[in-house]
Every structure is written in structure tokens, then in C-alpha cells.
Amino acid sequence: MALLEVDNLHAYYGKIHALKGISLTVEQGEIVTLIGGNGAGKTTTLNAICGIVRAGAGRVVLADEDITMLAPHKIVERGIVQAPEGRKIFQRLTVMENLEMGAYTRTDPHGIANDLEFVFHTFPRLRERQKQLGGTLSGGEQQMLAIGRALMARPRVLLLDEPSMGLAPLLVRDIFRVIEYLNKHETTILLVEQNALMALAVAHRGYVLQTGKIILSDTAEALRQNEMVRAAYLGEH
């Protein structure tokens, strides 16, 4: 049984049928990526897994537990945590306060302290900036903070939504190094990323979404070699 299983998931925005039977799995210890164009349904898939968008049909199962109809905060308690598109940090809170908010469902002070140290080890810049207001950080630092805040919830599955969006190329490389580092430290990751080349370079497997449907799934290496993927998403013709 996969750690995370999405089975025939449908979702709607009003009358718009945004997800049309999405099925995917994420195994313990994997990085799995979802790639596709704007409007393909990638973010909606993550939000449906998190309970932010209600499933119209289908199931989301985490470690044999059906979590489809749980409230979003209950899904976080179960271990699915998202670093959302656009970062959405608390601009008027300090870096430390943002990180503490990530641990709001937890009641284990020793574990929280250990995870805070891990976040500061992973993102030394955040240690330096811990008293600074989130809104005064650079874009790259805000992305580090969004991921760090998610890590403070101790996720069983970390959902990353467009972590490289709006970042300079050097910072993009840094963020993807962090993704690999987290995975080596036993974090299971479901990654949505417009930069398909970088996503497939770090992922084990991938799914290609198009207008709310999965049209292709394979190992990351096979997707990198697929002519349709190369032409449509990797900029190769």
C-alpha cells in the first residue's frame, strides 16, 4: 500500500469540472512530481489532497486511512502539509513566529525544538533572520520560510507547490538542492513545479496533467526522454 493514494479524484469550482478522475500514488521516501501547463489542475490536485478544495468524488488515502472528508487542519495533523504557491507566509510575523505557527498542531516541545534546529541547519539564512518580519524578506528567503514552516509540522508527505516560482536561477538551484536534501532525510515529497526539467531531475516518478486529467505517468528518467514531454514541457523541439 502506498503512503499516499489518490483514487479517481474529481473536484469542481462551481460548474467548472477542474479534476476529472485523478489517480496517483506516492510511496514512502519518494519524490513524485506533477507537471503540466497553466490550468492543468496541478495546484487543484494539491489543494484537494489537503482538503482546501472539497472532493466531488473519489478518495484520498494516507497510510490506509481515508482522509477525503477531513477538515484541512485534521489533514495537517495526520501528516500532509503544504508549502503553498506564492509562499503565503505571515508577513507581519517574525521568521520565528512563522515557524512556530507551522508547529501549531503539535504538543511535543522537545520534538519541536529538534525540528526547529533542523530547519535552521537546512536554511542558515532563517537563523540569521529569525527576528525579522516575514514581509521584509527577499523572495528566496520567503520561499525558504514557507518550506521551513511546513517542515515544523513534521510532515509525512510534504506538498510543494511551485517552489521555484519567481526566483533567480541561482536560487532555483538552491531550492532544488534543498528538496533533494530533505528527501535524503526521509521526507516524502509531492512536487508541483513549472520548471519541468528541474522537477524531473530530482524526482523518482512523475505524472503529466492536462485539463484535469493525467495523460502520462512514468519514471522521471522515462518522462525526460519522452518526445511529447520534451516538446511540450522541456522546451525541446
Side-chain angles (χ1 to χ4, degrees):
M1 184 74 186
L3 177 58
L4 175 66
E5 181 178 4
V6 177
D7 180 31
N8 195 33
L9 193 64
H10 292 255
Y12 299 82
Y13 293 114
K15 294 182 179 177
I16 297 170
H17 195 176
L19 299 182
K20 304 167 185 173
I22 298 287
S23 294
L24 60 87
T25 60
V26 183
E27 302 286 346
Q28 179 80 42
E30 277 193 312
I31 301 176
V32 173
T33 187
L34 307 181
I35 61 175
N38 287 331
K42 305 185 301 296
T43 293
T44 303
T45 299
L46 295 192
N47 285 341
I49 291 169
C50 289
I52 297 167
V53 172
R54 277 283 164 228
R59 297 189 314 148
V60 179
V61 179
L62 178 68
D64 287 337
E65 181 187 4
D66 188 334
I67 61 169
T68 316
M69 302 312 294
L70 291 182
H73 71 281
K74 292 292 184 185
I75 292 173
V76 171
E77 287 176 4
R78 296 301 194 279
I80 293 181
V81 187
Q82 182 173 189
E85 180 182 6
R87 293 136 204 172
K88 296 185 174 65
I89 63 162
F90 298 104
Q91 303 271 334
R92 296 184 180 181
L93 298 184
T94 65
V95 166
M96 179 62 86
E97 288 167 339
N98 268 273
L99 294 173
E100 289 170 347
M101 286 297 291
Y104 81 99
T105 62
R106 297 175 60 183
T107 56
D108 56 325
H110 183 68
I112 290 170
N114 285 342
D115 288 343
L116 182 63
E117 187 53 39
F118 176 74
V119 168
F120 283 152
H121 179 75
T122 306
F123 300 111
R125 195 79 55 83
L126 296 184
R127 191 193 298 274
E128 297 167 10
R129 303 273 196 272
Q130 59 186 283
K131 294 182 180 177
Q132 197 168 317
L133 294 181
T136 66
L137 301 178
S138 70
E141 289 165 347
Q142 289 190 21
Q143 186 60 66
M144 295 172 194
L145 181 55
I147 295 173
R149 182 181 61 187
L151 291 173
M152 288 303 297
R154 191 170 282 185
R156 297 171 76 184
V157 183
L158 175 63
L159 310 185
L160 295 178
D161 194 356
E162 303 288 5
S164 79
M165 181 180 284
L167 300 184
L170 276 175
L171 286 174
V172 171
R173 283 199 290 276
D174 287 345
I175 289 294
F176 276 94
R177 281 195 204 102
V178 165
I179 291 169
E180 289 185 294
Y181 175 79
L182 294 175
N183 184 243
K184 284 179 179 139
H185 285 75
E186 301 181 351
T187 304
T188 301
I189 296 171
L190 180 57
L191 168 67
V192 160
E193 177 55 58
Q194 286 280 26
N195 189 333
L197 191 62
M198 293 291 282
L200 291 172
V202 299
H204 300 97
R205 294 187 298 112
Y207 295 86
V208 180
L209 272 67
Q210 196 173 86
T211 58
K213 296 180 181 177
I214 289 172
I215 60 167
L216 190 61
S217 66
D218 213 327
T219 65
E221 178 59 32
L223 290 174
R224 280 202 301 271
Q225 302 303 326
N226 182 283
E227 289 188 10
M228 183 276 286
V229 173
R230 292 171 67 160
Y233 305 111
L234 305 184
E236 301 177 13
H237 301 283

